[in-house]
Amino acid sequence: ARLFGGLWRLIAKALGSSVRFVFRGAAELDEAHQRDGIAFLLLIVGLISAAGAWFHLKNFVGRNIYAAIYGVGGRLGALIPLVLIYFAFRLFKAPDEGKSNARISIGLILFILSITGLFHIFNGSIGTGQTAIRHGGGWIGYGVSTPLVALLTTILAIPILFIILFFSILVITATPVSQVFSKIKAAFHWGTNKVGEVRAARQEEFELTDTPPF
């Protein structure tokens, strides 16, 4: 017993020292290398999730990745690899835009919560069966939509989720609501001016002249 106890303490001490050495070295890395490491990690996870979600690998890893992605995000699972790869390249390209990265992350979280909830409601998924979860909004959509429908009914849950979805798009694109109305107004004026120009051009084409009829 003393022999095994001493051997266990030796292994635990060696393992703990190795982990502390690795984490201490990682903490002492340059900030640029730390960001690149996170970006490479996101890229690797994105590629692995893409292999499982898109190419349906016929092995233990592929089946479990597919089940995890579509179980968590439902029909939105096909876009999860794109999100991970996008953030990886964003960290490579613009590592110093911390505020923008945080804003886009918050917007994507709201987007995922709202869209998976809407998928779950529109699909009519009931219960926690495998088919209902994967063909709806996954566990995220189930967790978002079920309390809303139970408390507010579907009539109110759907517009609330659409409002959150609209707000998430505004957050991702850094567009305040006031600019949305301004752009709609500018588009309306542009359309009105184009219609006026077309009408004026047609009137000029059919304008009567002093040329006698044939």
Side-chain angles (χ1 to χ4, degrees), residues 5 19 21 39 56 84:
V19 171
F21 174 77
H56 307 290
L84 294 172

PDB file of all heavy atoms in Angstrom, residues 5 19 21 39 56 84:
ATOM      1  N   GLY A   5       0.988   4.007  -2.842  1.00  0.00           N
ATOM      2  CA  GLY A   5       0.739   5.391  -2.454  1.00  0.00           C
ATOM      3  C   GLY A   5       1.863   6.316  -2.887  1.00  0.00           C
ATOM      4  O   GLY A   5       1.630   7.411  -3.405  1.00  0.00           O
ATOM      5  N   VAL A  19       1.788  20.186 -16.084  1.00  0.00           N
ATOM      6  CA  VAL A  19       0.673  21.075 -16.419  1.00  0.00           C
ATOM      7  C   VAL A  19       1.005  22.512 -16.045  1.00  0.00           C
ATOM      8  O   VAL A  19       0.752  23.454 -16.812  1.00  0.00           O
ATOM      9  CB  VAL A  19      -0.616  20.591 -15.720  1.00  0.00           C
ATOM     10  CG1 VAL A  19      -1.732  21.622 -15.882  1.00  0.00           C
ATOM     11  CG2 VAL A  19      -1.056  19.249 -16.280  1.00  0.00           C
ATOM     12  N   PHE A  21       3.946  23.831 -15.796  1.00  0.00           N
ATOM     13  CA  PHE A  21       4.984  24.310 -16.705  1.00  0.00           C
ATOM     14  C   PHE A  21       4.381  24.752 -18.036  1.00  0.00           C
ATOM     15  O   PHE A  21       4.725  25.815 -18.577  1.00  0.00           O
ATOM     16  CB  PHE A  21       6.016  23.198 -16.939  1.00  0.00           C
ATOM     17  CG  PHE A  21       7.053  23.544 -17.968  1.00  0.00           C
ATOM     18  CD1 PHE A  21       8.104  24.388 -17.656  1.00  0.00           C
ATOM     19  CD2 PHE A  21       6.957  23.025 -19.251  1.00  0.00           C
ATOM     20  CE1 PHE A  21       9.052  24.712 -18.616  1.00  0.00           C
ATOM     21  CE2 PHE A  21       7.915  23.346 -20.210  1.00  0.00           C
ATOM     22  CZ  PHE A  21       8.955  24.191 -19.889  1.00  0.00           C
ATOM     23  N   ALA A  39      -6.909  31.372 -32.460  1.00  0.00           N
ATOM     24  CA  ALA A  39      -7.429  31.332 -33.835  1.00  0.00           C
ATOM     25  C   ALA A  39      -7.193  29.959 -34.470  1.00  0.00           C
ATOM     26  O   ALA A  39      -8.087  29.407 -35.119  1.00  0.00           O
ATOM     27  CB  ALA A  39      -6.768  32.428 -34.661  1.00  0.00           C
ATOM     28  N   HIS A  56     -20.375  13.754 -43.069  1.00  0.00           N
ATOM     29  CA  HIS A  56     -20.924  12.554 -42.420  1.00  0.00           C
ATOM     30  C   HIS A  56     -19.904  11.409 -42.381  1.00  0.00           C
ATOM     31  O   HIS A  56     -20.080  10.364 -43.011  1.00  0.00           O
ATOM     32  CB  HIS A  56     -22.191  12.088 -43.135  1.00  0.00           C
ATOM     33  CG  HIS A  56     -23.216  13.169 -43.299  1.00  0.00           C
ATOM     34  ND1 HIS A  56     -23.921  13.695 -42.237  1.00  0.00           N
ATOM     35  CD2 HIS A  56     -23.638  13.845 -44.403  1.00  0.00           C
ATOM     36  CE1 HIS A  56     -24.749  14.638 -42.682  1.00  0.00           C
ATOM     37  NE2 HIS A  56     -24.585  14.748 -43.988  1.00  0.00           N
ATOM     38  N   LEU A  84     -17.290  29.163 -36.685  1.00  0.00           N
ATOM     39  CA  LEU A  84     -15.982  28.934 -36.071  1.00  0.00           C
ATOM     40  C   LEU A  84     -14.852  29.345 -37.012  1.00  0.00           C
ATOM     41  O   LEU A  84     -13.883  30.006 -36.597  1.00  0.00           O
ATOM     42  CB  LEU A  84     -15.847  27.460 -35.693  1.00  0.00           C
ATOM     43  CG  LEU A  84     -16.798  26.955 -34.595  1.00  0.00           C
ATOM     44  CD1 LEU A  84     -16.698  25.443 -34.464  1.00  0.00           C
ATOM     45  CD2 LEU A  84     -16.505  27.625 -33.272  1.00  0.00           C
TER      46      LEU A  84
END
